[in-house]
Amino acid sequence: MNASAPELPAPIGLLAELTHRCQLRCPYCSNPLELDKRSGELDTATWRRVLSEAAALGVLHVHLSGGEPTIRTDIVEIIAHCARTGLYSNLITSGVGGALEKLNALADAGLDHVQLSFQAVDKANAERIGGFVNAQAQKMAFAGRVTALGLPLTLNAVIHRGNIDEVDRFIDLAVALGARRLEVAHTQYYGWASMNRAALMPTKADVDRSIQIVETARKALEGRLLIDLVVPDYYATYPKACVGGWGRRLINVTPSGRVLPCHAAETIQGLEFWSVRDRTLADIWTSSPAFMAYRGTDWMLEPCRSCDRKERDWGGCRCQALALTGDASATDPVCVYSPYHARIKTLAAAEASVNAKSTYVYRSFSLGDRPASAGSPAGDVS
Ligand code: SF4
Ligand code: FES
């Protein structure tokens, strides 16, 4: 273990990516360019074992994600197993397809929380962004059922140039739907989102305005709606402590069973990822080369090495450092102390100034309907 991390804490959260299959085609999708195929997904028994091992390791929350997790035919059994093992389950869903039909059974199985995504409040805009016809009506019906069942609801709004003018409407929607929490999360440019960065990047002025709207609403809605704000990295001064620090709080299991310290870790060439097919979660958490690579602070270079914030943000995001500097050990360029900081500010401003109507590159799956304007298929994971 790293000398600067003498006591390895238990992981708090498990991100269980049950499948990469999805009905939507959001241009800001942070899943990798190369998706796991259905034929390679973990089976029910393996997920049950992984969840039991996670509970034994100290994990408290399981985020059931994807893709769209309700596509899995065993989603009820997986949630029932979370309940049996004492894990708090959070279903991260788009609410479309067959999600509504499964919701009562999921609640009966012990589901604890639902996080529902909205691509926009304006129906046409939402369906253009998500690339899925009739999504909005399905999401509204789904949200209504969630609250009718008494389940706590979080609305998730990923913000970018195509919907940043709707932040106030997202807040109104969350209140109207009875959500307890709203995530206003500016796009992070990982995976597929990096292909669309120039079409998604908002201007600094629009970002500042959106932050102001959230801050005003937070005061007005205190006690009624909790609003979490994820500010856009490219306009920040210091980086976020990505995943709470590498190998400190989160375990990410991909649909085919590779265990990652963060969602985008596979973009870092040369890291060795162990699989739950071969090893226990505890073994992977304590000893996997990928988890050891950037755990603690010994791996840090200057300026992080001698910085007094290094145990606050853990040097920022390794994947972003790699994407923007070519070196995953570098200081995240979001940081004002990074020699690359001025360059990414310039890049963000240049991309945000592109005046054309956003033209997205959409993912392609074999599921669901696509509007005629949705763009060309770019892959298939069926
Ligand atoms: Fe964080 Fe490193 Fe920047 Fe210091 S130099 S604030 S540790 S990213
Ligand atoms: Fe990988 Fe931030 S997404 S460390």
Side-chain angles (χ1 to χ4, degrees):
M1 195 181 305
N2 187 323
S4 48
E7 285 190 26
L8 181 57
I12 293 172
L14 177 79
L15 181 62
E17 296 177 0
L18 299 181
T19 180
H20 277 156
R21 289 172 285 150
C22 188
Q23 294 94 342
L24 301 190
R25 293 164 180 79
C26 307
Y28 55 75
C29 178
S30 61
N31 278 341
L33 302 184
E34 183 97 13
L35 298 175
D36 286 350
K37 293 193 184 301
R38 176 185 198 160
S39 57
E41 290 174 4
L42 297 178
D43 61 17
T44 316
T46 308
W47 273 117
R48 272 201 301 263
R49 173 174 62 79
V50 169
L51 293 166
S52 295
E53 290 176 358
L57 193 53
V59 167
L60 302 174
H61 301 110
V62 174
H63 307 281
L64 300 157
S65 169
E68 172 51 51
T70 60
I71 284 178
R72 293 245 340 187
T73 54
D74 57 359
I75 185 66
V76 175
E77 168 55 22
I78 287 173
I79 285 172
H81 197 74
C82 289
R84 273 196 295 275
T85 48
L87 292 163
Y88 185 93
S89 56
N90 175 28
L91 180 73
I92 301 176
T93 179
S94 67
V96 305
L100 180 61
E101 286 66 42
K102 293 183 179 178
L103 191 50
N104 284 10
L106 297 176
D108 289 345
L111 177 63
D112 290 303
H113 182 271
V114 175
Q115 179 176 317
L116 175 63
S117 67
F118 273 86
Q119 281 61 45
V121 180
D122 177 83
K123 177 179 181 297
N125 196 29
E127 295 178 0
R128 181 182 79 90
I129 293 168
F132 188 82
V133 172
N134 198 29
Q136 205 74 341
Q138 293 184 48
K139 286 168 181 282
M140 297 296 281
F142 187 87
R145 181 79 62 83
V146 170
T147 50
L149 287 166
L151 286 167
L153 173 67
T154 290
L155 254 52
N156 168 266
V158 176
I159 302 297
H160 48 82
R161 193 159 84 230
N163 64 7
I164 198 163
D165 291 340
E166 296 194 38
V167 169
D168 50 352
R169 296 179 69 186
F170 277 121
I171 295 166
D172 292 345
L173 179 68
V175 172
L177 291 176
R180 297 188 190 173
R181 197 168 143 259
L182 169 67
E183 282 184 0
V184 177
H186 283 266
T187 302
Q188 311 276 303
Y189 298 100
Y190 304 122
W192 193 263
S194 62
M195 305 256 296
N196 285 300
R197 195 177 64 195
L200 295 169
M201 187 72 74
T203 65
K204 175 84 164 60
D206 282 344
V207 167
D208 290 345
R209 192 162 43 248
S210 72
I211 292 170
Q212 190 55 51
I213 289 169
V214 167
E215 283 174 356
T216 303
R218 274 176 169 163
K219 289 191 195 113
L221 297 169
E222 198 173 347
R224 288 174 64 196
L225 179 71
L226 182 69
I227 308 178
D228 284 337
L229 176 66
V230 178
V231 297
D233 280 345
Y234 283 42
Y235 293 121
T237 304
Y238 296 113
K240 60 186 180 296
C242 196
V243 288
W246 185 278
R248 294 188 71 250
R249 303 170 73 90
L250 185 83
I251 299 180
N252 188 137
V253 181
T254 69
S256 62
R258 294 180 308 285
V259 186
L260 318 178
C262 74
H263 190 56
E266 288 174 296
T267 60
I268 303 177
Q269 298 289 313
L271 286 185
E272 181 186 339
F273 301 103
W274 289 355
S275 170
V276 293
R277 295 182 194 274
D278 311 317
R279 308 190 189 244
T280 66
L281 212 53
D283 190 17
I284 296 169
W285 174 250
T286 55
S287 310
S288 154
F291 277 82
M292 302 292 277
Y294 303 108
R295 186 173 261 155
T297 57
D298 281 0
W299 58 272
M300 288 181 176
L301 308 172
E302 293 295 348
C304 292
R305 179 175 283 271
S306 52
C307 179
D308 62 8
R309 292 176 60 94
K310 69 182 176 187
E311 293 193 2
R312 281 168 70 182
D313 62 34
W314 306 95
C317 176
R318 296 307 86 226
C319 304
Q320 187 150 264
L322 174 73
L324 297 174
T325 75
D327 180 0
S329 303
T331 294
D332 185 336
V334 165
C335 178
V336 69
Y337 303 134
S338 162
Y340 291 88
H341 184 71
R343 196 182 300 176
I344 71 153
K345 287 270 185 295
T346 307
L347 181 141
E351 292 189 337
S353 71
V354 174
N355 210 9
K357 186 76 179 163
S358 303
T359 304
Y360 301 136
V361 183
Y362 288 87
R363 314 201 79 127
S364 178
F365 306 90
S366 65
L367 298 163
D369 301 318
R370 316 176 68 236
S373 61
S376 304
D380 196 330
V381 291
S382 61

